[in-house]
Every structure is written in C-alpha cells, then in structure tokens.
Amino acid sequence: MNSNELMKRSIIACDDKRAEDIVGIDVEGISDIADYFVVCHGNSDKQVQAIAKNVKDEAEKNGVLVKRLEGFNEARWILIDLGDVVVHVFHREERDYYNLERLYKDAPLITLTEDVN
C-alpha cells in the first residue's frame, strides 16, 4: 500500500469513530519524518483512544506495521507512526494549543469530503 492510500485509509478510520476536523497534510518534501500527517481530535479521553485504536487496527488489518504508538494511556495527544504516515489524534484542547496545521500552513491539505471519497 502506498503512502497516499494509507493516509486515506487512516482518515476514514478516524472518521469511523467520529473524529472531528480531520485533515491530511502532505508533508512530502517538507518533512523528513513522513509523507503525510493526519490530524484530528476527539472530545473525550475515551473517544481519543477509540480513534487511535481504530487507526491502529485498520493499519494492522491491511498489513501495515505500526512502528510506534505514544500517548495512548494519557489520551491527550496520541501519535501513531505508520512509517510514511503519522497520525496525530488530539484531545480538543491540545489540538488548539499545538496547532500542527499552522506549522505546516504551506503544505497541501487533504480533507475527507473533498479528496478521500
């Protein structure tokens, strides 16, 4: 599976658990870390964990190795490293505070309704 398809599947996995304001950020050529970031948030610790678990499960179901999962127990900012795609699942307040979209404001954004379906 290429990184673009993995990013799209990650966005859909986030949406399946009712994540809010889901965006993909195309950081290829901007970041050495990954080709895409997926950023979303939930409104409770349980929802943030459910979103992250669904992304992890969907990746593993499709044969993608989850290289790292951080922050799951705290459920404030969970990072799921899928290699070329890194998924950031925030609690609402942390997303507003860290504002990753601002850091990559020049990068193309991918949204669920416009580009994934």
Side-chain angles (χ1 to χ4, degrees):
M1 173 180 320
N2 67 36
S3 60
N4 185 271
E5 181 64 26
L6 180 56
M7 177 269 306
K8 289 177 180 180
R9 287 180 186 248
S10 297
I11 287 175
I12 292 168
C14 292
D15 186 59
D16 286 347
K17 293 299 178 182
R18 301 202 186 331
E20 296 190 17
D21 293 331
I22 309 164
V23 294
I25 305 172
D26 183 347
V27 294
E28 187 175 12
I30 297 171
S31 172
D32 293 333
I33 298 169
D35 292 341
Y36 295 96
F37 289 159
V38 173
V39 181
C40 67
H41 72 267
N43 294 308
S44 70
D45 293 356
K46 294 283 186 201
Q47 184 186 19
V48 169
Q49 288 174 329
I51 295 164
K53 184 176 182 330
N54 200 48
V55 170
K56 175 185 174 291
D57 291 349
E58 186 66 25
E60 289 174 343
K61 183 174 84 176
N62 286 284
V64 175
L65 174 68
V66 176
K67 294 184 175 194
R68 184 172 219 127
L69 189 138
E70 295 183 11
F72 189 84
N73 291 335
E74 296 82 12
R76 304 307 291 177
W77 176 358
I78 301 175
L79 182 140
I80 308 136
D81 182 351
L82 304 174
D84 291 334
V85 176
V86 177
V87 181
H88 302 269
V89 183
F90 287 97
H91 203 283
R92 178 186 295 275
E93 295 84 20
E94 276 69 17
R95 184 176 188 179
D96 291 341
Y97 179 78
Y98 289 104
N99 197 1
L100 288 184
E101 293 96 324
R102 179 183 50 86
L103 294 174
Y104 296 97
K105 65 182 178 211
D106 295 332
L109 297 179
I110 297 99
T111 61
L112 180 68
T113 54
E114 296 171 5
D115 302 309
V116 174
N117 290 326

